[in-house]
Amino acid sequence: MLDNNQLLRFTTAGSVDDGKSTLIGRLLYDSKSIFEDQLEAITNTSKKKGHEGVDLALFTDGLKDEREQGITIDVAYRYFTTPKRKFIIADTPGHIQYTRNMVTGASTANAAIILVDARHGVIEQTKRHSFIASLLQIPHIIVCINKMDLVDYAEDAYNKVINQFEEFSSKLLVQDIRFIPISALNGDNVVNRSETMSWYQGAPLLHTLETMHISSDINKVDARFPVQTVIRPQSETHRDYRGYAGRVASGIFRVGDEVTVMPSGFTSKIKTIDTLDKTLDQAYAPMSISMTLEDDIDISRGDMIVRSNNKPESAQDIEVMLCWLNNSPAKPRAKYSIRHTSNEQKAMIKEVVYKINVDSLDRNTEDKDLKMNDISKVKIRTTKPLMIDSYRENRTTGSIILVDDTTNETVAAGMIV
Amino acid sequence: MSKYYLNYLDELESEAIYILREVWAQFENPVILFSGGKDSILVTHLAKKAFYPAKIPFPLMHVDTGHNFPETIQFRDDIIKDLGVQLIVGSVQESIDDGRVAEEKGKNATRNALQITTLLDAIESNKIDCAIGGGRRDEEKARAKERFFSHRDDFGQWDPKNQRPELWNIFNGKHFEGEHFRAFPISNWTEMDVWNYIKRENIAIPSLYFAHEREVVWRQDTWIPNSEFLVLEDHEEVVVKKIRFRTLGDITITGGDESDADTLEKIATEVAGMRNTERGNRSDDKRSESAMEDRKRQGYF
Ligand SMILES: Nc1nc2c(ncn2[C@@H]2O[C@H](COP(=O)(O)OP(=O)(O)O)[C@@H](O)[C@H]2O)c(=O)[nH]1
Ligand SMILES: [Mg+2]
């Protein structure tokens, strides 16, 4: 395997029975990522259930309840590697009551596969899934038109879906959308090129995933370094060492760069960038490093080191697209803990501007409740400033979660507008 | 030429270091669950990187079933000395002696399930609020659902259907008194990733992983090592084979594979060609289709 092989994270979305699990099973099976004992186990289960042949979908349905009910109720992660890339799949369920799981799976994804049943074309759920993918700013969307075998592999059916899709997707902010006609069941255009759809000139799904350009998915311009913890060995060899440990959120830091520590505003220069293996001249996202500065400044977890000529906004009033994740609805004017990078403050939802109907994309300004799976634009006030970028510019410094202090649960996820 | 992206191993490493630092920042009293197996050795190696040039700022904890490979214990003691960190041992034998658990009976008896009580007791008595494990999502289907930060209630139990959502890289380790978390920094690594990384970093691992001659018995489709704990059936016969272990658990339940792989290079090549999952040789997982999930719900690793 080559040293510069990258990691690509993708999520799959589709409504129940569109063939998500079958597709993932097919990807793994045809790329030879399923082990024999796993295959044996699902072959046995398939037989017990009276399926003819092996039901590849069984491979991804992990938990007991899911195996019993035959549906995917949580996010399950799957892994496979080809000679070109390592892949992480977040398999998320499609029902509206699982919007929150899809949001979760989408939050770290480079790409989303949206499945459409060729017989049914674009339905409400397709719109919802596409909307969530665009809201979460997944850089690449691949619409797989599945079950082509049930529409005689006809090019017409494929084109119809593309037209339907493009009609509404112009409203979404997605840079890269591709369409692939597949049969997950039979394997057409999943790993291997379909022999029955010679009219399709594009690449099969796996090849698309292996070759799509993802290096520029991370913001390379705005240098942001949220401090996770301070390293002070106080040992013989490192008596005065004071390293700021964290993961570069975006951009590039170089030794000698003039930096500002936020929110204090103190400035200094980067003295060293350290890792166990070597000291570095530069660090870029998403590297985990420890940096030291020329000057002794009081810096702790929650602070952000940025390049002095390019700072995030320091704000206490923020507008957020909020997805409610919890069973209990939001309490009006209640206080929550807000987490943003390594920073934590208290926050209050001051106003619900509108709620989005995730199927029609209409805005509702009357209904102000925030219930599980709702996606709304809200105004939040925090007790102390957060150092923010808009989510569209920066998925790391543009995202927040809310934690309910009475239950400690993560109740909402937000994207800063 | 400068490139501004990480390869997959560097990205996995960076993610794991990030998780380890989050644990340190969010919890009062974390430990690394150290079994002496490659995954916990890897986590320990990553922790070394996460806090360099400081020492790993928390202890290692070993749940000792008493049914160990002697090599594992030696390795554990060496690594503790090398790192200069504290070792906490939870002893299953003590749990048995104290009447907290009863030894399983019969031919296939193991102390595997008994570890749960010992582990939870050790977590409670040492006031541990986060136990860092080497669990990986590719190992087993119940593990595929694990969060990086995984909540355990005050009985140490996992509720897989009611997990906290985890978005982006924001982790929520808040908990009430008596509850704790499990953290899994190498969730996203596969067995192959682990070996490729161990090879790249040249990380020391117990000799058991390398092909060596050993007295073994053929049982349940695998080579079970001969030991003082093994009770032979009439038809069983101890033979000497060149084997290596793909995972390390109790000496009583860990099966070895015949192999000539005696270098990291050869092991990585061998693993790449494997057609069975690594836990396929662990009788603890063979008991039923949901064996792992059932144990995990109760508080298992
Ligand atoms: N004919 C045909 N059936 C398919 C195809 N893909 C999936 N299916 C079937 O559709 C049903 C639902 O598939 P599944 O993968 O469980 O869908 P999920 O709910 O999206 O995970 C199963 O009976 C599959 O065998 C396909 O390409 N062609
Ligand atoms: Mg499914």
Side-chain angles (χ1 to χ4, degrees), chain A residues 3 36-37 66 79 86 286, chain B residues 7 14 145 188 193 275 277:
Chain A
D3 258 1
E36 273 165 20
D37 51 337
E66 290 167 52
Y79 302 85
K86 173 186 166 88
Chain B
N7 76 20
S14 173
K145 303 269 163 143
N188 279 332
D193 298 334
R275 295 313 307 148
T277 54

Side-chain angles (χ1 to χ4, degrees), chain A residues 20-21 60-61 71-72 91:
Chain A
K20 275 195 320 294
S21 302
T60 56
D61 290 339
I71 52 160
T72 316
D91 182 16

Side-chain angles (χ1 to χ4, degrees), chain A residues 281-301:
Chain A
D281 303 330
Q282 59 177 14
Y284 48 88
M287 288 166 70
S288 284
I289 52 136
S290 162
M291 76 168 67
T292 61
L293 302 183
E294 295 285 358
D295 306 277
D296 242 338
I297 307 175
D298 184 21
I299 300 176
S300 54
R301 177 174 169 86

